[in-house]
Amino acid sequence: MNQLNHVAIITDGNGRWATRQGKPRQEGHTAGRENFQHVCDWCLELGIRYLSFYVLSLDNLRRDKAELEHIQQMARDLCTGEGLARAKAKGIRLVLCGDRALQTPEDLALYENAEQKTADCDKLTIMFQTYYGGRDEIVKAARRCVEDGVEISEDSISARLYGAAHHTDPDLIIRTGGYQRLSGYLPWESVYSELYFTPTLFPDLSREEFFWACKWYEGIHRTHGGDREPTVAKNATVQKDAPFARKEAANG
Ligand code: IPE
Ligand code: MG
């Protein structure tokens, strides 16, 4: 059975969740923010040590200003006031991953404050990617190799990624919202990640489905290219057999 140590999540579908209910898209982001708190609790329950959370990509910066503000508020809520107190109480360490130079000085100060205040928390580390671009991360790591005068290699680049001081490669990447792509998320780190795509919109992601995805991961036969065993173990269930997928198909 695979040990699930690091889950990464692309929380897509907030906007559609709101639109389907005739609400403004912003309300979807608010609902997504609430559900993210549940995801943290589920990780703690399962003993997952690292959770990567795709808050805002460099490409998202093209969105409407008011909506962007709402999305960014997710990261601020995690790192201030009640969010920060809750993280500390639960033993959650917060780590900002992304281009710090693009943050406003005010936001950067609050994120760095949260990093400091949670530095000794050791139950779960949340690495939140904001102002994050996957190719940009690799380019920056390569540039740092040059600045540091080290030879460019897989190891030297890996050591200079945003999450390098913590944990880089996710075991499992979950994307909600129905699209089967990574949208620039962790391209270096995801080479051996298992990918779980679900039509469920993020605010509707349930504990049952999250646990199901983690269980699915545990049953997969993972060789990292090292042997010729079948790619799916006998006891693993393939994604299309998931009960929620059948339910979604039945609903059209
Ligand atoms: C994901 O939901 C939120 C982020 C970009 C952080 P969307 O806003 O992309 O929602 P949809 O895909 O339009 O439904
Ligand atoms: Mg989307």
Side-chain angles (χ1 to χ4, degrees), residues 75 79 93-101 103 107-112 114-115 126-131 162-163 166:
C79 294
R93 180 172 191 176
L94 299 165
V95 175
L96 172 65
C97 295
D99 191 341
R100 290 180 190 232
Q103 299 284 351
D107 278 349
L108 189 58
L110 69 86
Y111 294 139
E112 290 183 343
E115 287 182 316
I126 298 179
M127 293 182 285
F128 55 102
Q129 284 81 14
T130 180
Y131 287 100
Y162 291 128
H166 305 277

Side-chain angles (χ1 to χ4, degrees), residues 166-182:
H166 305 277
H167 199 275
T168 56
D169 302 0
D171 302 309
L172 171 67
I173 301 180
I174 295 175
R175 180 178 185 139
T176 60
Y179 295 108
Q180 303 193 12
R181 58 178 178 245
L182 293 180

Side-chain angles (χ1 to χ4, degrees), residues 4-246:
L4 185 51
N5 202 30
H6 182 176
V7 173
I9 188 156
I10 303 175
T11 61
D12 197 19
N14 292 343
R16 278 165 286 160
W17 181 90
T19 306
R20 280 183 194 177
Q21 302 180 42
K23 296 176 177 165
R25 286 177 61 82
Q26 271 81 337
E27 289 199 27
H29 295 307
T30 305
R33 236 148 59 201
E34 277 164 27
N35 207 25
F36 183 74
Q37 291 301 333
H38 297 140
V39 172
C40 300
D41 290 341
W42 302 333
C43 287
L44 287 165
E45 216 181 304
L46 289 170
I48 292 164
R49 303 296 307 278
Y50 299 92
L51 173 63
S52 285
F53 171 34
Y54 201 4
V55 178
L56 186 73
S57 71
L58 295 177
D59 296 326
N60 291 148
L61 298 178
R62 293 196 300 266
R63 292 195 184 196
D64 167 80
K65 269 214 152 40
E67 185 174 351
L68 263 184
E69 180 54 29
H70 242 81
I71 295 173
Q72 283 174 291
Q73 196 58 39
M74 288 203 232
R76 293 191 199 109
D77 285 354
L78 249 185
C79 294
T80 51
E82 254 182 56
L84 179 58
R86 199 165 34 210
K88 264 193 87 65
K90 291 182 177 178
I92 297 176
R93 180 172 191 176
L94 299 165
V95 175
L96 172 65
C97 295
D99 191 341
R100 290 180 190 232
L102 294 178
Q103 299 284 351
T104 62
E106 295 76 26
D107 278 349
L108 189 58
L110 69 86
Y111 294 139
E112 290 183 343
N113 175 59
E115 287 182 316
Q116 256 174 32
K117 297 259 163 67
T118 60
D120 58 353
C121 295
D122 61 1
K123 294 265 186 305
L124 171 69
T125 298
I126 298 179
M127 293 182 285
F128 55 102
Q129 284 81 14
T130 180
Y131 287 100
Y132 174 88
R135 289 180 177 169
D136 183 64
E137 179 181 33
I138 297 170
V139 168
K140 287 200 165 68
R143 280 197 193 128
R144 282 189 51 207
C145 289
V146 174
E147 283 162 17
D148 294 346
V150 300
E151 196 181 330
I152 293 196
S153 67
E154 291 194 13
D155 285 346
S156 63
I157 289 186
S158 294
R160 288 163 178 79
L161 299 172
Y162 291 128
H166 305 277
H167 199 275
T168 56
D169 302 0
D171 302 309
L172 171 67
I173 301 180
I174 295 175
R175 180 178 185 139
T176 60
Y179 295 108
Q180 303 193 12
R181 58 178 178 245
L182 293 180
S183 303
Y185 196 38
L186 306 174
W188 182 278
E189 300 89 332
S190 63
V191 288
Y192 275 112
S193 304
E194 301 297 336
L195 307 178
Y196 179 90
F197 297 110
T198 171
T200 304
L201 303 176
F202 182 64
D204 289 333
L205 181 70
S206 65
R207 180 178 179 277
E208 184 197 10
E209 184 171 0
F210 186 83
F211 274 53
W212 193 92
C214 295
K215 198 136 192 63
W216 169 75
Y217 169 83
E218 286 176 349
I220 295 171
H221 183 72
R222 282 164 63 79
T223 67
H224 293 83
D227 68 28
R228 289 181 293 160
E229 290 295 304
T231 49
V232 178
K234 280 205 185 82
N235 64 348
T237 318
V238 291
Q239 262 191 55
K240 64 181 166 50
D241 289 340
F244 59 86
R246 283 204 302 270

